[in-house]
Amino acid sequence: MLGAAVALTIALALAACSGLPMTSPVMPGRAPGTAQEVPDFVLRPDSPQRGATPQEIVEGFIRAGSGPAGGWAVAREYLTPGASWNPLAAVTIDEGERVYSDAGLGGVTLALTQIAGVDASGAYSVADLGSALLDFRLEQSDGEWRISQAPDGVVLNQNVFANVYKRYQLMFFDDSWSTLVPDLRWFPTTNAAARVTDTLVDGPSPWLAASVRTAIPDNVVPPGSVPVVSGVAQVELGPDVVSLDQDTRDRMQTQLETSLALAGVTEVQMTVAGAPLQGERLQKTATGVDARALALTDAGFGFLTSGALEPIDGLSDAITGLSSTPLAIQVSPTQDAAAVRLDNGAVVRVPADGPVSDVDQRPGMIDPTIDRYGWIWTVPRDSPTSILATSPDGEQVSITNGWGGATAVTAMVASRDGTRIAALVESGGRTFVWVKGIIRQSDGTPAALGVELELASTAGQGTGLTWLDDATVGALVLGADGPATLEQPVGGPGSTVAAPIGVSSVSGSNQTTTVRLRGDDGALYVRRGTNWNQTASGVLVLATQQGPGR
């Protein structure tokens, strides 16, 4: 009987397959280079239950913060009709362990441990671990307990946060109007295009404001509503923009389209009173680097390609011809110079054509970094505020507002666009990842650093730092469980991956998945998912790059 049943099942399945269509019209897909619209996957929390106690009402209200649909319509069911509550005011991100207590007279207090937060502008910030208290007042409405007073904002567990809020990149220009700089923000996916546009109009984050430029005039009012139809966003602007010159319009178009790309927008139509305002998206200067590993080996200095080494004209011979041994090398964007730390402790500039020049001979120097303008940045490990920037001509500038508040700095590297600089610093027995904006004069000369943005902290010892792309830094940290790489967005939660034992330096490429590590034995590792594959040996120095080359 069992055999007969199996045979009947197979026969029915084959009969069903015979009815499948074998031909159909060709259905066009997305055009190359276009973005796929972001679907609105939202959580649907439970509504209030009849007879719920005050604590159960508050618990349900907190859980309902994970449902932004309809302007947090379900969460509002827990409020009295006259209660005022703004869910977009802030996000409190906690570890998940919450303690509710009866505060008496219809009051409930929630104690939690906050690890991060998002403000009304979508800016993410880490928080010192510590208990936070939220107070709620409740009243009976139609015989049921409801919240009459609640703190503005929502509370989300760190695991739920990534399902409710998504990362978007507001794009601003560098001082030369040639390169776009991302400013990360976090918004719910519902109505994301409007939130991204409104926040872009408001301008960059305070820590970055003095280091970037925006083409959107100060008198432009955020539109509030941005309809998106088939990937085309309609952005209504005020009448003042009609008089703007075409260069400014093109820059506005570029900022809007690149900022809205992650919100499923492929094209932006700027309008004034419904009439189109013409703008053209500009091509930005590339900030990517050569995808190949750049290294110093016994065979010389250059790019590793299929087991061979491809030298850089002029620069490779200059580096291998140094009288002292290089310990760290960073190559300029045009590959015509390098910042090098030698085994005698000095930092030098090595040009592809010309004499080697001294940059900094102070004791205890960490690895130098060279920015897109050719300035080399140096600082001693135990003097975090003593930053010097040296021009290609040898001019030196003392950078004010260095890494104040730190007891030591173990790594420092400028972003490829030249607007930001990141560092691994030590303070209070912990290692922190900080980033600051670079404030320059009109000719590109660095003058100062802005206020720091803390990205992450760890109990481990930081040994290396690199930019993985325009919005992410990668740190090599030695902790109690061994070495690990920290991939840290500039304004968002990071992730940690265990690293091979004995690695000591790190280098990035153009994607976070192409991190490279060098071991003390000269082995070169490349990350593939969560695994590390050895791709080369005999690497004396794993160099870093600041641009795509000549």
Side-chain angles (χ1 to χ4, degrees), residues 443-505:
D443 62 354
T445 300
L449 299 181
V451 297
E452 74 267 5
L453 175 67
E454 181 184 325
L455 303 182
S457 68
T458 175
Q461 179 183 2
T463 60
L465 188 68
T466 188
W467 285 86
L468 304 179
D469 57 30
D470 287 341
T472 316
V473 296
L476 180 59
V477 179
L478 181 61
D481 297 327
T485 58
L486 170 64
E487 296 178 8
Q488 180 60 56
V490 182
S495 59
T496 301
V497 177
I501 299 297
V503 292
S504 55
S505 57

Side-chain angles (χ1 to χ4, degrees), residues 241-308:
V241 301
V242 175
S243 61
L244 297 176
D245 60 77
Q246 193 58 49
D247 285 344
T248 301
R249 294 184 185 184
D250 291 346
R251 289 165 181 165
M252 291 174 60
Q253 181 80 19
T254 303
Q255 285 185 250
L256 286 166
E257 285 195 0
T258 53
S259 298
L260 288 168
L262 294 180
V265 172
T266 58
E267 181 182 347
V268 169
Q269 177 59 70
M270 298 185 293
T271 59
V272 177
L277 182 70
Q278 296 302 319
E280 182 179 350
R281 180 170 174 174
L282 305 173
Q283 295 296 319
K284 70 182 183 69
T285 301
T287 56
V289 299
D290 194 302
R292 297 170 296 175
L294 183 60
L296 176 66
T297 70
D298 287 334
F301 178 74
F303 292 102
L304 298 178
T305 305
S306 301

Side-chain angles (χ1 to χ4, degrees), residues 287-353:
T287 56
V289 299
D290 194 302
R292 297 170 296 175
L294 183 60
L296 176 66
T297 70
D298 287 334
F301 178 74
F303 292 102
L304 298 178
T305 305
S306 301
L309 188 140
E310 181 180 314
I312 300 174
D313 291 342
L315 188 60
S316 291
D317 289 340
I319 289 177
T320 56
L322 290 169
S323 57
S324 297
T325 302
L327 298 181
I329 304 169
Q330 186 171 88
V331 175
S332 68
T334 53
Q335 298 178 2
D336 58 356
V340 180
R341 182 170 67 89
L342 303 173
D343 62 352
N344 61 12
V347 172
V348 297
R349 179 188 300 274
V350 181
D353 183 15

Side-chain angles (χ1 to χ4, degrees), residues 367 463-465 476 502-507 516-520 540-543:
D367 295 348
T463 60
L465 188 68
L476 180 59
V503 292
S504 55
S505 57
V506 58
S507 175
R516 294 187 178 94
L517 301 175
R518 175 192 172 273
D520 291 331
L540 303 176
V541 177
L542 177 60

Side-chain angles (χ1 to χ4, degrees), residues 124-407:
Y124 183 102
S125 61
V126 296
D128 294 331
L129 292 179
S131 180
L133 298 177
L134 302 179
D135 294 322
F136 299 84
R137 304 301 301 176
L138 293 91
E139 299 175 357
Q140 284 200 328
S141 177
D142 296 330
E144 299 290 339
W145 287 103
R146 293 294 183 266
I147 299 171
S148 58
Q149 295 180 24
D152 285 335
V154 297
V155 178
L156 298 175
N157 174 269
Q158 58 184 332
N159 298 320
V160 175
F161 172 74
N163 294 321
V164 180
Y165 277 68
K166 300 300 180 184
R167 189 179 89 172
Y168 300 91
Q169 295 186 159
L170 306 188
M171 290 298 193
F172 299 95
F173 282 97
D174 71 331
D175 283 343
S176 66
W177 297 104
S178 63
T179 302
L180 289 173
V181 182
D183 184 358
L184 300 191
R185 306 295 177 93
W186 295 81
F187 303 110
T189 56
T190 54
N191 203 25
R195 293 190 173 100
V196 169
T197 303
D198 288 353
T199 315
L200 178 68
V201 170
D202 287 338
S205 296
W207 72 270
L208 187 60
S211 305
V212 295
R213 306 177 76 174
T214 181
I216 303 173
D218 292 337
N219 58 1
V220 172
V221 178
S225 175
V226 178
V228 180
V229 179
S230 299
V232 180
Q234 301 287 333
V235 179
E236 176 70 19
L237 302 171
D240 293 333
V241 301
V242 175
S243 61
L244 297 176
D245 60 77
Q246 193 58 49
D247 285 344
T248 301
R249 294 184 185 184
D250 291 346
R251 289 165 181 165
M252 291 174 60
Q253 181 80 19
T254 303
Q255 285 185 250
L256 286 166
E257 285 195 0
T258 53
S259 298
L260 288 168
L262 294 180
V265 172
T266 58
E267 181 182 347
V268 169
Q269 177 59 70
M270 298 185 293
T271 59
V272 177
L277 182 70
Q278 296 302 319
E280 182 179 350
R281 180 170 174 174
L282 305 173
Q283 295 296 319
K284 70 182 183 69
T285 301
T287 56
V289 299
D290 194 302
R292 297 170 296 175
L294 183 60
L296 176 66
T297 70
D298 287 334
F301 178 74
F303 292 102
L304 298 178
T305 305
S306 301
L309 188 140
E310 181 180 314
I312 300 174
D313 291 342
L315 188 60
S316 291
D317 289 340
I319 289 177
T320 56
L322 290 169
S323 57
S324 297
T325 302
L327 298 181
I329 304 169
Q330 186 171 88
V331 175
S332 68
T334 53
Q335 298 178 2
D336 58 356
V340 180
R341 182 170 67 89
L342 303 173
D343 62 352
N344 61 12
V347 172
V348 297
R349 179 188 300 274
V350 181
D353 183 15
V356 175
S357 58
D358 291 333
V359 171
D360 202 333
Q361 297 191 22
R362 291 176 293 174
M365 302 301 300
I366 65 171
D367 295 348
T369 182
I370 186 169
D371 67 23
R372 62 173 297 195
Y373 297 93
W375 288 78
I376 295 178
W377 297 65
T378 53
V379 64
R381 183 190 188 282
D382 296 327
S383 187
T385 60
S386 301
I387 301 175
L388 286 180
T390 305
S391 75
D393 296 330
E395 175 190 358
Q396 284 197 326
V397 175
S398 179
I399 303 299
T400 60
N401 194 22
W403 307 112
T407 56

